[in-house]
Amino acid sequence: MTGIPTPRRAVLRRLLAGLAATALAGCDAASRSSWLPKVFKSGEHLNRGVQKRVATRKSMAQEFTLDDLSPDFRSNGTSRPASDEYARLAANQFTDWSLQVDGLVRTPARFSLAELRAMPWRTQITRHDCVEGWSAIGQWTGVPLVRVLDRVGPLENAQYVVFHCADTMGDGKPYYESIDFDDAYHPQTILAYGLNGKDLPIKNGAPLRVRIERQLGYKMAKFIMRIELVESLEQVGAGNGGYWEDRGYEWYAGI
Ligand SMILES: Nc1nc2c(c(=O)[nH]1)N[C@H]1C(S)=C(S)[C@@H](COP(=O)(O)O)O[C@H]1N2
Ligand SMILES: [Mo]
């Protein structure tokens, strides 16, 4: 695990402690993919309690300066969705793409990239932490999710915001993610169309990806096609709130 740069955040420290403990217990390090989520899970239960006492869900993630930017913001997971539909959208610079927002809302709507860019925007320089053991600092620009939600009017019974993505994973299942309204209304939760002062590259999720700055990398859905408001996560995917959550990762990945 020499690839972890500065494990400053508590979750990474706990993750490392967990990995060391697992190694001492004699587990096979080669089966990383099967035991990492479990280790991670125990750390996260602790984290949720800590979070409640010391931080509150309203606290801001640390922001950095232009001097801190990583030279290249690497790509992880899908670097380009394989569908013909995505290829067609990309070939037209996403001018035909639109974000569908529906589910438990008063007024379902579609937003083109131009419409999203015309809305109030925010820029933030933050650090992204991936459970696979790397971090990167990037400058993200986008529309706060709250602005988009205000336009469609969430219904009283809406509890979660689900992001449906254009890519499917190796097992053929689509990538998706979800957050609750504490995170949806957080000022740093943005639908980003820009990275480091340029259009969001395809490898990082073009045309639109979400930033949820106090959570881990896998929550930050790329290639978003649709946002759905739901009352329960049970009806979505395998019912655990995200592609990786359906495979054992924690739904609340706070750092
Ligand atoms: N649609 C989609 N979103 C995704 C992924 C993915 O494979 N598909 N990978 C996740 C993971 S594990 C991480 S760490 C980040 C990586 O973002 P990046 O490619 O900009 O580095 O995207 C997250 N969002
Ligand atoms: Mo990740």
Side-chain angles (χ1 to χ4, degrees), residues 76-77 128-134 175 216-219 244 249:
N76 203 49
H128 176 109
D129 296 320
C130 172
V131 291
E132 288 174 27
W134 59 274
Y175 201 96
L216 288 164
Y218 64 87
K219 298 296 292 185
W244 285 114
Y249 281 50

Side-chain angles (χ1 to χ4, degrees), residues 26-71:
C27 288
D28 177 16
S31 62
R32 185 170 189 260
S33 57
S34 59
W35 55 259
L36 182 58
K38 281 188 215 102
V39 169
F40 188 58
K41 208 162 188 154
S42 57
E44 280 314 302
H45 284 136
L46 173 65
N47 191 45
R48 203 191 295 218
V50 171
Q51 180 96 14
K52 272 207 190 99
R53 272 178 282 124
V54 303
T56 92
R57 297 285 302 277
K58 288 188 172 57
S59 63
M60 300 287 275
Q62 184 179 2
E63 294 196 16
F64 297 81
T65 70
L66 288 169
D67 290 340
D68 302 317
L69 288 184
S70 300

